[in-house]
Amino acid sequence: MKTKEFLFKYVSFLAASLSILFLLGIILSIFKEGIPLFKEINVFDFIFGRRWHPTDEPPDFGILSLIIGSISVTIGALIVGVPLGVGSAIYVSEIASSNAKEILKPFIEILAGIPSVIYGLFGMNILAPIVRKIFNIPIGLNIFSTSIILGIMIIPFVSSLSEDALRSVSKDVREASYALGANRIETIFKVIVPAALPGIIASIILGFGRAIGETMVVLMVSGGTATIPSSIFSPVRPMTSAIASEMGETVKGSLHFQALYGIAIVLLIITLLSNLLMQWFVSREKNEKKIY
Amino acid sequence: MKRKFIEILGETFLRLSIIISLIFLFLFLFMIFSKGIKVISWEFLTRMPRSGMTKGGIYPAILGTFWITIVSIFIAFPIGIFSGIFLSEYGKPKWLVDIIKTSINTLSGTPSIVFGLFGLSVFVIGLNLKVSILSGGLTLAILILPTIINSTVEAINSVPFDFREAALSLGATKSQVIRNVVLPYAMPGILTGTIISVGRAAGETAPILFTAATFYSRRLPKSLMDEVMAMPYHIYALMTEGTSPQYQIPIAYGTAIVLLILILFINGSAIFLRYRIRKRRG
């Protein structure tokens, strides 16, 4: 009896500890494969080097254009996805009737479940030709098209976290605002949204993390050119796209292989930081709620 | 007057933002279906590809996705449930629980391609599991683990406290309470999260790029150590490799339809299950 109790608790404990192990394993393995690169190339040249020619002789491993590629499509995605995602969240939590809510929420979830490769297919084969025609440009695979697809992809993530934040604003606050004679929109934008702001910021950071880490869409839609973009209609090669498309051609342990893991280190650091920041905002929101 | 105008403007914006999302969803589904529906047939689902991927079916890709997904769920489900039990039922020491929770949140925010590189470094090369169903399944298992853990924690926390106390007062031990009272009550919620994870695992591409997937295999997989074709990777490969896009693109859309229907069905059943739970509990 006693041993059975102990065993059950111990197994649960071990299972839960695996998450720490997996996270450490991911961080260590990426660093282990990537760090040897920096014996050959210094970190500064790697991050701020403008030339990414990994297969030339001699090769160039500067990832500035890849970083700028990632950042440009991510900013684009936020411009498209944040207003739509936060707007949808406000609509669902503040305006929609409970019946409409019951119908709308599953649709947003369906959007979240669509595999990224199918978004990529849509962007590459349907959206890009349309963009090319409308703007009369030579290639439709560029920052603009990628931003639209990525932006739509992050809507469900932004929206669901924002909605949690909006929903947890206490009812008293709303009623106090109406009692002062404010109408619904004034209440939403001057009272509820400010009260839910930490959570909404967390949802934007979540969207940022999703967009910068997304692989298949950027791989298929961003055009793949490793140069610093000159306009929103320039093709780019974001970090994830370089890793995914080049890893297959490399030999294990080669400089190119290590450089791709080096890119993953940069990506991992960015997402780790954005994640911690997001969790900080979420916990701040929870702490503030206790005051009411 | 100005106030009224701003109110109308604001509501229109909010309404539009959800309408745009919905219009996109329908347009998206309609376009994918209309471009791929003509290649869908019984043969498409049950035959091997022929003539260098330009004809024939996608049977091996369906089978590959099936096996990779099964392996990942098989590994992640027990780990996820036990983790959830530890976090919500034992929950001590607090500092450890905090570290575990932070790890889980961080894992769920890690880009899928990083999981792929981890799988390549640790499973494919390190443990010498090669590019295989097993390597891909293990990689995906870690990717979906946070979802299963979080839904387990949420489901367990929704179990009314009276249930536990009633069982404890009857002399049940803690583990008996968990197994016979808490888990049965929480199971529908846990399953909802697990079903969503199944959909996630089936649709992911980046984690299996270097750990499990191959564009073309002549035979069906015989063991967990075989590399496989998989539907998500097949779509990508058809669009970016090969020399006959005019034949490959329709097959890519056909594959996308099969994958979409599978995932819509999976997620639909999760949404339905959750709806049932909420209704039952009022």
Side-chain angles (χ1 to χ4, degrees):
Chain A
M1 189 83 164
K2 219 34 183 223
T3 42
K4 215 173 165 188
E5 286 300 305
F6 178 74
L7 202 68
F8 193 78
K9 185 174 176 179
Y10 199 66
V11 168
S12 314
F13 164 73
L14 281 184
S17 311
L18 280 177
S19 292
I20 304 177
L21 190 76
F22 291 147
L23 179 64
L24 286 179
I26 287 173
I27 296 171
L28 289 178
S29 68
I30 303 295
F31 274 83
K32 181 188 140 256
E33 307 284 356
I35 286 292
L37 176 80
F38 301 114
K39 284 182 198 137
E40 307 286 329
I41 297 151
N42 79 49
V43 180
F44 189 85
D45 291 344
F46 181 66
I47 292 175
F48 295 102
R50 286 166 163 260
R51 291 159 56 84
W52 176 255
H53 298 298
T55 51
D56 282 9
E57 210 43 69
D60 285 307
F61 296 109
I63 63 166
L64 186 66
S65 64
L66 313 185
I67 295 177
I68 293 179
S70 284
I71 291 176
S72 54
V73 296
T74 302
I75 291 174
L78 293 176
I79 293 172
V80 175
V82 168
L84 293 177
V86 176
S88 303
I90 297 175
Y91 184 80
V92 168
S93 95
E94 304 298 321
I95 297 180
S97 67
S98 63
N99 276 337
K101 211 180 286 189
E102 218 46 75
I103 298 167
L104 289 174
K105 285 183 74 172
F107 277 113
I108 296 175
E109 278 178 273
I110 287 173
L111 212 51
I114 294 173
S116 57
V117 68
I118 302 183
Y119 278 109
L121 171 67
F122 180 89
M124 184 180 183
N125 200 251
I126 297 172
L127 179 68
I130 297 174
V131 167
R132 195 186 59 203
K133 247 182 229 142
I134 291 179
F135 296 98
N136 196 21
I137 44 177
I139 345 166
L141 300 172
N142 53 34
I143 297 175
F144 183 80
S145 305
T146 312
S147 300
I148 292 179
I149 299 289
L150 276 182
I152 287 165
M153 267 189 85
I154 65 171
I155 289 175
F157 300 100
V158 174
S159 150
S160 77
L161 202 56
S162 286
E163 207 207 313
D164 289 344
L166 292 163
R167 203 171 345 112
S168 61
V169 173
S170 110
K171 222 181 161 85
D172 308 354
V173 183
R174 264 163 255 244
E175 276 160 12
S177 165
Y178 286 127
L180 289 172
N183 63 31
R184 189 151 70 172
I185 285 298
E186 286 164 347
T187 305
I188 289 172
F189 285 103
K190 293 187 178 157
V191 178
I192 298 173
V193 169
L197 202 58
I200 293 176
I201 294 174
S203 82
I204 296 172
I205 302 172
L206 176 69
F208 167 87
R210 286 276 154 184
I212 206 161
E214 170 51 36
T215 307
M216 297 318 291
V217 167
V218 298
L219 185 56
M220 296 168 85
V221 192
S222 70
T225 315
T227 49
I228 291 169
S230 53
S231 85
I232 56 165
F233 296 115
S234 303
V236 285
R237 191 178 190 83
M239 294 185 279
T240 51
S241 157
I243 298 171
S245 62
E246 294 169 28
M247 188 52 86
E249 312 152 8
T250 63
V251 182
K252 186 208 170 317
S254 65
L255 271 187
H256 190 188
F257 178 90
Q258 292 167 357
L260 295 179
Y261 272 91
I263 299 174
I265 294 178
V266 175
L267 189 63
L268 194 59
I269 291 175
I270 295 174
T271 50
L272 284 178
L273 291 179
S274 76
N275 233 296
L276 291 177
L277 194 64
M278 179 184 96
Q279 291 181 40
W280 184 75
F281 274 109
V282 170
S283 68
R284 227 186 83 159
E285 183 191 71
K286 281 193 187 129
N287 290 339
E288 272 182 19
K289 292 287 128 55
K290 282 176 195 152
I291 299 167
Y292 293 115
Chain B
M1 191 59 204
K2 189 175 160 230
R3 248 183 105 199
K4 190 75 198 157
F5 176 72
I6 290 175
E7 177 168 24
I8 292 169
L9 197 73
E11 291 206 8
T12 311
F13 163 75
L14 297 176
R15 195 161 283 131
L16 263 183
S17 55
I18 195 136
I19 290 174
I20 291 173
S21 312
L22 290 184
I23 289 178
F24 176 84
L25 179 63
F26 285 112
L27 214 63
F28 177 88
L29 294 176
F30 175 77
M31 296 289 258
I32 300 280
F33 276 84
S34 68
K35 288 209 168 205
I37 199 75
K38 54 185 175 292
V39 304
I40 300 285
S41 65
W42 185 242
E43 281 70 35
F44 187 72
L45 301 175
T46 55
R47 292 278 172 82
M48 299 289 284
R50 287 181 292 120
S51 320
M53 299 291 152
T54 57
K55 292 195 184 105
I58 57 163
Y59 180 61
I62 297 176
L63 205 62
T65 291
F66 175 78
W67 281 117
I68 295 172
T69 309
I70 289 289
V71 169
S72 68
I73 290 297
F74 203 75
I75 297 165
F77 185 65
I79 300 178
I81 287 203
F82 274 110
S83 305
I85 289 173
F86 181 77
L87 293 176
S88 50
E89 289 294 316
Y90 294 104
K92 270 181 209 153
K94 177 129 192 334
W95 60 268
L96 184 67
V97 170
D98 285 344
I99 294 178
I100 293 172
K101 282 188 175 161
T102 307
S103 302
I104 294 167
N105 288 335
T106 311
L107 275 179
S108 71
T110 302
S112 55
I113 187 79
V114 173
F115 282 90
L117 291 182
F118 163 75
L120 172 65
S121 163
V122 172
F123 300 132
V124 178
I125 300 171
L127 298 175
N128 203 19
L129 298 176
K130 303 272 162 32
V131 175
S132 63
I133 296 175
L134 189 57
S135 294
L138 283 164
T139 309
L140 285 176
I142 300 175
L143 179 92
I144 60 175
L145 188 58
T147 316
I148 299 184
I149 297 178
N150 287 335
S151 64
T152 305
V153 170
E154 205 174 302
I156 290 182
N157 286 345
S158 76
V159 179
F161 214 74
D162 312 358
F163 285 32
R164 275 171 255 231
E165 287 186 333
L168 284 169
S169 70
L170 290 173
T173 64
K174 177 123 186 166
S175 80
Q176 283 172 333
V177 173
I178 295 171
R179 278 177 293 140
N180 302 324
V181 178
V182 174
L183 278 187
Y185 189 91
M187 200 42 87
I190 297 174
L191 287 180
T192 308
T194 308
I195 295 170
I196 287 171
S197 314
V198 172
R200 176 100 198 272
E204 278 288 350
T205 318
I208 61 168
L209 274 178
F210 330 116
T211 58
T214 176
F215 184 24
Y216 183 61
S217 62
R218 275 170 198 288
R219 56 186 184 83
L220 296 174
K222 287 207 179 66
S223 81
L224 292 182
M225 297 307 291
D226 283 339
E227 56 177 14
V228 283
M229 293 171 64
M231 284 190 277
Y233 181 66
H234 199 56
I235 296 169
Y236 166 65
L238 283 169
M239 295 304 292
T240 52
E241 286 173 32
T243 48
S244 325
Q246 72 275 30
Y247 301 115
Q248 290 173 213
I249 290 175
I251 298 179
Y253 277 102
T255 313
I257 292 182
V258 177
L259 186 59
L260 262 178
I261 289 179
L262 179 74
I263 284 172
L264 291 179
F265 175 75
I266 290 172
N267 289 355
S269 34
I271 291 169
F272 180 70
L273 184 61
R274 196 185 45 209
Y275 178 73
R276 285 275 304 271
I277 301 171
R278 250 189 298 160
K279 217 170 156 189
R280 196 184 63 198
R281 293 180 189 161

